[in-house]
Amino acid sequence: MTASTHPAWDGIVLGVSLATLDSPQGYAEIHDGALAWKGDLLTFVGARKDLPDAPQRLAREVIETKGWITPGLVDCHTHLVFAGDRAREFELRLQGASYEDIARAGGGILSTVAATRAADESELLRQSLPRAHALITDGVTTLEIKSGYGLDFENERKMLRVARRLDQLGIGVRTTYLAAHALPPEYAGRSDDYIDAAIEWLPRLHHDALVDAVDAFCEGIGFSPAQTRKLFEAARSLGLPVKLHADQLSDLGGAALAASFDGLSADHVEHTSLDSVRAMAAHGTVAVLLPGAFHVLRETRLPPLDAFREHGVAMAVATDCNPGTSPLQSLRQAMQLACTHFRLTPEEALRGATVHAARALGLHDRGVLRVGTRADFALWNIHHPAELCYWLGGRLAQAVYAGGHRVI
């Protein structure tokens, strides 16, 4: 490994084992390691014995400890900004109501829309901060947050503004415009008109630097492939990347549609066909697995995991943190569920929550421990990285750093 020639690194951690993930396979382990940073970048990643000088002369802060360091976790699919909860729907599903039954009866997303519209920006921030903090406490250093519970211009903007304000926690925040999440009541029976409105709002929100990507819910109870395509064409005209809630409940060819726009990711993908898998592989579109929703909805249709592996489609793992179908506030727990339900290996799950999750956000400066990448890392009280997927709950993170600053 290489080191910075600057004599004053900001910090260095010694004695830990490193899972750098800086190789195509395996954890890329380094034992009795050293990890150093200056500013927001890593300056040394390697064995302690390879340091060019005494640590005290290299860094202002020297930390000697045990455990493992991994890249900071990247939660690449959340709906974290919302008001209220939907615990009653959880009860209804346990009594036999389906996701579609609840949605068609006026529950589901629209109940959260009502609560989110009723909350002002400060209240929405107050309710969202604890959820973000819970994710950070369990190792997250980059967080994607979608809109989609406003469904009109002012409330979509409010959600995106709150999402941006969550960077006060010191982590990286990426915002995704998801106005095409559900049809608001004022547009009942006029879904084409609503898509036109959502397209009209997009340039204004993009001008205000509130949008990093554009998403949609392409599903029978959401929006059609034709409507999604129209929205994606508007996003492309603005130079914005796209991602898609695709093939969760049925196969409408959503994953292939996202790939045709060089989409960053297709998410859920339980019903994705082999043709769509091939399209994703050809365009480098990441499959984002969301085992929290799979678990809560008690789904049985698995994503085409073997086909993803065979065709080289990267698989990310995310929480899908939302009030209705995945009230999950731990990405590490999502990794555990991905191993349990989808039979990912612990290494695949960790890569899914770091390397591949960063790629699903179009970020190439994080997700691995490598000199020159962002100093985003988590120090864990574990004996082996597989423990991150083994333990059900509990706090394993000893410290979490984002951009060289300790956030936990």
Side-chain angles (χ1 to χ4, degrees), residues 35 43 217:
L35 184 84
T43 51
F217 183 35

Side-chain angles (χ1 to χ4, degrees), residues 85-99 102-103 107-108 111-112 292-298 322-328:
D85 66 68
R86 281 158 42 200
R88 175 57 182 152
E89 291 180 18
F90 176 66
E91 289 186 314
L92 291 174
R93 283 197 300 273
L94 292 175
Q95 295 166 11
S98 72
Y99 183 82
I102 292 169
S111 64
T112 298
F294 184 93
H295 176 79
V296 170
L297 294 174
R298 295 187 293 175
N322 74 72
T325 62
S326 188
L328 180 55

Side-chain angles (χ1 to χ4, degrees), residues 21-364:
L21 303 181
D22 193 17
S23 67
Q25 297 182 38
Y27 295 109
E29 302 176 19
I30 299 172
H31 299 285
D32 193 18
L35 184 84
W37 65 95
K38 180 171 178 58
D40 62 353
L41 300 179
L42 295 176
T43 51
F44 185 91
V45 180
R48 187 208 302 243
K49 66 181 178 59
D50 293 330
L51 286 169
D53 201 346
Q56 291 77 10
R57 288 196 288 270
L58 288 168
R60 295 187 180 95
E61 180 183 15
V62 179
I63 303 166
E64 179 97 29
T65 189
K66 298 296 183 183
W68 280 79
I69 288 179
T70 70
L73 304 185
V74 177
D75 199 348
C76 64
H77 181 131
T78 85
H79 304 257
L80 183 137
V81 171
F82 60 85
D85 66 68
R86 281 158 42 200
R88 175 57 182 152
E89 291 180 18
F90 176 66
E91 289 186 314
L92 291 174
R93 283 197 300 273
L94 292 175
Q95 295 166 11
S98 72
Y99 183 82
E100 291 93 335
D101 291 339
I102 292 169
R104 295 189 192 283
I109 292 169
L110 291 183
S111 64
T112 298
V113 170
T116 302
R117 286 180 171 183
D120 62 21
E121 188 171 315
S122 61
E123 175 61 17
L124 197 55
L125 178 65
R126 186 191 69 79
Q127 292 191 38
S128 301
L129 276 168
R131 293 187 284 269
H133 189 265
L135 289 169
I136 297 167
T137 299
D138 218 19
V140 168
T141 54
T142 299
L143 179 61
E144 185 260 14
I145 303 173
K146 303 178 191 295
S147 67
Y149 294 131
L151 307 187
D152 61 29
F153 176 75
E154 291 299 333
N155 285 293
E156 287 290 295
R157 181 172 65 176
K158 176 178 69 179
M159 288 189 69
L160 292 166
R161 283 170 53 87
V162 169
R164 284 281 192 245
R165 289 177 64 183
L166 288 172
D167 66 7
Q168 68 185 254
L169 295 173
I171 62 168
V173 174
R174 305 293 287 179
T175 55
T176 299
Y177 178 64
L178 182 58
H181 194 196
L183 190 64
E186 60 268 27
Y187 278 87
R190 297 188 295 126
S191 59
D192 285 337
D193 291 342
Y194 178 68
I195 288 295
D196 288 342
I199 289 170
E200 178 189 348
W201 305 331
L202 179 56
R204 299 156 67 186
L205 297 170
H206 179 47
H207 179 268
D208 291 341
L210 291 174
V211 180
D212 296 318
V214 174
D215 195 351
F217 183 35
C218 184
E219 193 56 74
I221 59 171
F223 296 92
S224 71
Q227 291 167 333
T228 302
R229 179 177 293 278
K230 189 174 183 180
L231 175 64
F232 281 5
E233 287 170 347
R236 183 163 58 186
S237 72
L238 296 171
L240 287 168
V242 301
K243 49 192 27 261
L244 186 62
H245 286 63
D247 310 333
Q248 178 185 11
L249 305 173
S250 62
D251 182 13
L252 296 183
L257 174 59
S260 72
F261 282 83
D262 295 319
L264 293 174
S265 69
D267 303 28
H268 287 290
V269 295
E270 282 94 334
H271 291 261
T272 293
S273 68
L274 182 56
D275 284 345
S276 290
V277 171
R278 293 189 180 111
M280 293 172 68
H283 291 269
T285 299
V286 176
V288 177
L289 307 180
L290 302 173
F294 184 93
H295 176 79
V296 170
L297 294 174
R298 295 187 293 175
E299 295 288 356
T300 58
R301 174 71 174 260
L302 294 172
L305 302 162
D306 288 340
F308 288 146
R309 292 184 181 107
E310 179 184 351
H311 292 275
V313 175
M315 293 184 290
V317 177
T319 63
D320 192 17
C321 176
N322 74 72
T325 62
S326 188
L328 180 55
Q329 299 182 65
S330 165
L331 182 50
R332 193 172 58 78
Q333 184 67 62
M335 293 160 58
Q336 202 282 334
L337 290 173
C339 293
T340 300
H341 288 306
F342 299 158
R343 300 296 191 269
L344 264 61
T345 67
E347 180 204 330
E348 285 179 317
L350 180 57
R351 285 184 177 276
T354 52
V355 181
H356 299 323
R359 181 176 161 188
L361 296 179
L363 301 173
H364 303 285

